[in-house]
Amino acid sequence: MQIYLPIAEVSVNAFLLLGLGGLVGILSGMFGVGGGFLMTPLLFFIGIPPAVAVATEANQIVASSFSGVLAHFRRRTVDIKMGLVLQAGGLLGAALGVVVFNHLKQMGQVDLLVKLCYVVFLGVVGGLMFIESLSALRKSRKSGGAPAARRQRSWVHALPFKTRFRTSGLYISVIPPVLVGVAVGILAAIMGVGGGFIMVPAMIYILGMPTKVVVGTSLFQIILVTAFTTMLHATTNFTVDIVLAVLLLVGGVVGAQIGTRIGTYLKAEQLRILLALMVLLVCGKLGLELLIQPDELFSLGVAGGH
């Protein structure tokens, strides 16, 4: 069943979009990521213009993350205080990211930049996460299944403005969470992601949060930042396709509930390895598209583009 997307100006199968939304929703519930790192490239692959994909996907992430975080609230695995600090940094980063996005769009370079950002970030993060998770899984097996101890980063604990995050069992400075939030906010605006693929490793390895509260807290932080990003894109770029967003939202909300249940049956190290493999797979596909000669050697763009 083909449906016309008015802002993207393309026709796409509605059931395909519902299925993609459901798949990303499952990932959101399992890993604590918004799913944008996977959905936005998938939208590229089915012919959605990158500028529209980035802005609209931020909208879809809000719903799938909200659906997933409700399940984690019921389990009391959300550090609300940490989430609010991360959100404060995220809102600042999102505002900065939209300014950069608008400037690049005027230059006509936004499509190339978005794809290059995906290849670089997904490659680095996926590779590091896979190596570390594989090492942690081996140590866990050798120690009879006992969870591997996280290394404490001394520089984090030496910073000023310390506060206590009781749900996470931490007493650290608010500066690292704010900086992590700013970085994720910029990524949300430029790449159309919730930033979970950066946020989750940062919360575990930099902030030292226990894995059981990382997923729920990550989803909690993603909601407000991506909602703010969507509003900025809608009011400044006019690139949010409502029809596309609604179809992705419906699939994402259902998928997030399924993913949350699946995640409870897997170990933390197994979850991280699966997420790393998914990240590397998407990175490889995007990298090949940038290197291989396309079927069409030209495309139509707005006046002033290059």
Side-chain angles (χ1 to χ4, degrees):
M1 184 178 70
Q2 296 293 111
I3 188 167
Y4 182 71
L5 306 177
I7 304 299
E9 298 181 339
V10 294
S11 294
V12 183
N13 188 294
F15 294 112
L16 174 63
L17 293 177
L18 286 171
L20 291 178
L23 172 64
V24 171
I26 290 173
L27 293 175
S28 175
M30 286 178 65
F31 303 123
V33 297
F37 75 93
L38 177 63
M39 177 59 81
T40 307
L42 288 177
L43 293 178
F44 297 164
F45 300 155
I46 64 174
I48 307 298
V52 176
V54 166
T56 305
E57 175 53 20
N59 194 348
Q60 186 266 344
I61 291 169
V62 176
S64 59
S65 298
F66 184 76
S67 176
V69 84
L70 288 178
H72 286 281
F73 267 125
R74 289 194 290 269
R75 297 191 181 98
R76 298 183 179 180
T77 53
V78 179
D79 190 329
I80 296 177
K81 187 176 180 180
M82 178 66 80
L84 291 174
V85 174
L86 292 168
Q87 284 178 353
L91 294 177
L92 176 59
L96 293 173
V98 169
V99 171
V100 174
F101 186 92
N102 290 344
H103 179 66
L104 291 166
K105 188 179 179 184
Q106 290 174 357
M107 295 173 60
Q109 300 298 324
V110 69
D111 291 8
L112 177 62
L113 174 84
V114 168
K115 290 183 179 180
L116 284 175
C117 281
Y118 267 101
V119 172
V120 172
F121 277 101
L122 295 183
V124 171
V125 173
L128 292 175
M129 192 187 302
F130 180 78
I131 293 171
E132 192 283 331
S133 299
L134 199 60
S135 175
L137 193 61
R138 286 174 179 171
K139 290 178 181 178
S140 178
R141 288 176 178 174
K142 288 181 181 179
S143 60
R150 296 188 309 276
R151 292 182 299 173
Q152 297 294 331
R153 302 298 181 91
S154 58
W155 65 270
V156 171
H157 296 271
L159 294 173
F161 308 113
K162 289 187 177 181
T163 187
R164 193 172 299 280
F165 299 96
R166 297 189 183 279
T167 306
S168 298
L170 297 176
Y171 181 61
I172 60 173
S173 168
V174 297
I175 295 176
V178 169
L179 292 178
V180 169
V182 170
V184 169
I186 293 174
L187 291 178
I190 294 179
M191 298 172 63
V193 298
F197 70 96
I198 296 287
M199 178 66 73
V200 171
M203 292 166 78
I204 295 173
Y205 304 121
I206 296 178
L207 304 183
M209 292 177 63
T211 304
K212 67 176 183 179
V213 299
V214 163
V215 174
T217 307
S218 173
L219 291 175
F220 178 68
Q221 180 270 344
I222 285 170
I223 293 170
L224 184 59
V225 174
T226 48
F228 181 63
T229 301
T230 300
M231 182 187 71
L232 290 178
H233 276 301
T235 55
T236 60
N237 297 322
F238 310 107
T239 49
V240 176
D241 194 308
I242 298 300
V243 178
L244 175 60
V246 169
L247 290 170
L248 296 176
L249 287 173
V250 173
V253 169
V254 176
Q257 295 297 316
I258 298 172
T260 302
R261 294 183 180 181
I262 295 174
T264 59
Y265 297 104
L266 297 174
K267 294 181 180 179
E269 293 83 3
Q270 293 172 330
L271 283 173
R272 296 204 296 270
I273 285 180
L274 288 174
L275 178 57
L277 289 173
M278 191 72 68
V279 168
L280 290 173
L281 185 64
V282 175
C283 173
K285 171 66 174 173
L286 273 176
L288 284 175
E289 286 205 345
L290 289 175
L291 294 173
I292 296 175
Q293 180 174 305
D295 295 330
E296 297 181 7
L297 298 179
F298 67 94
S299 61
L300 299 177
V302 296
H306 300 286

